[in-house]
Amino acid sequence: MSLVKFENIEKALDKVDSLDDASVEKLSETYTLAQTELVNYIMQATLEYENEDLGPYIIYYFCIAMESFQQAGIELDRITDDMIDGFHDEFMDVLEEYTREEDPQILDTYINQPNLLAFLAEELDGEDEDGEELDIETSSQLFIVLSAMTGLLNRAIKK
């Protein structure tokens, strides 16, 4: 199993957070072009949850995740709509079980990237550098979307 390590995530954060706006936009565009179907899928959440605040966070954490895989030297195949369709229903069942049982191990086992998932959970549950916290609804919605994104990225690892 190819695993993103915490050091890969830290390097990705350092890189993305050190870029100016134009450079972040270019990085985002590069990663979006590489995984267009995935970005379309995760960005649907802004419509489904009727929460436009999700969009910038989704793109930011998408870039962090993609850069984390890059830092780990893990090559990814392009995620297709068929991959998403095959993943979505099963993910929703796992998510329901995770919510019912309140056992993080259920999600960790399914997503199979525990370090990235732990990072996301911690990020969404705490204060940012300005002392701001996400409201519970936005935080929960982001966690669901980013968990799905991470699971799909894990399934796209080149064999």
Side-chain angles (χ1 to χ4, degrees):
M1 167 175 92
S2 298
L3 192 64
V4 172
K5 299 176 182 162
F6 283 113
E7 67 188 44
N8 306 129
I9 299 166
E10 288 172 12
K11 287 179 183 177
L13 272 171
D14 289 344
K15 177 179 178 177
V16 173
D17 288 347
S18 71
L19 297 174
D20 61 28
D21 289 347
S23 297
V24 169
E25 191 171 316
K26 184 175 171 137
L27 182 70
S28 171
E29 184 179 313
T30 299
Y31 285 144
T32 298
L33 290 172
Q35 294 292 353
T36 306
E37 290 80 1
L38 174 62
V39 172
N40 289 340
Y41 171 67
I42 60 179
M43 288 301 290
Q44 285 177 5
T46 61
L47 298 173
E48 290 175 17
Y49 289 124
E50 297 177 0
N51 185 347
E52 291 180 17
D53 293 340
L54 294 175
Y57 290 110
I58 290 170
I59 294 300
Y60 173 75
Y61 287 110
F62 167 71
C63 287
I64 296 295
M66 291 293 290
E67 185 62 31
S68 295
F69 278 92
Q70 183 83 20
Q71 291 290 332
I74 300 171
E75 292 185 44
L76 300 171
D77 288 323
R78 186 176 182 95
I79 294 170
T80 65
D81 287 332
D82 287 343
M83 289 171 72
I84 292 167
D85 291 344
F87 172 86
H88 183 78
D89 290 338
E90 188 176 328
F91 174 71
M92 296 311 285
D93 291 343
V94 169
L95 194 59
E96 188 176 308
E97 181 183 355
Y98 162 75
T99 304
R100 186 177 55 249
E101 301 295 326
E102 296 181 9
D103 181 1
Q105 188 63 34
I106 293 167
L107 206 51
D108 282 346
T109 301
Y110 184 71
I111 301 300
N112 216 16
Q113 285 294 336
N115 298 330
L116 198 48
L117 207 54
F119 161 75
L120 292 169
E122 187 176 313
E123 279 280 303
L124 299 175
D125 194 35
E127 294 181 352
D128 66 14
E129 61 274 356
D130 298 327
E132 300 288 323
E133 279 188 57
L134 291 172
D135 64 79
I136 192 78
E137 185 176 20
T138 299
S139 176
S140 296
Q141 292 166 350
L142 274 171
F143 185 72
I144 292 166
V145 172
L146 298 174
S147 295
M149 173 195 73
T150 304
L152 281 162
L153 288 170
N154 185 68
R155 281 160 184 74
I157 293 173
K158 288 189 181 204
K159 305 291 184 230

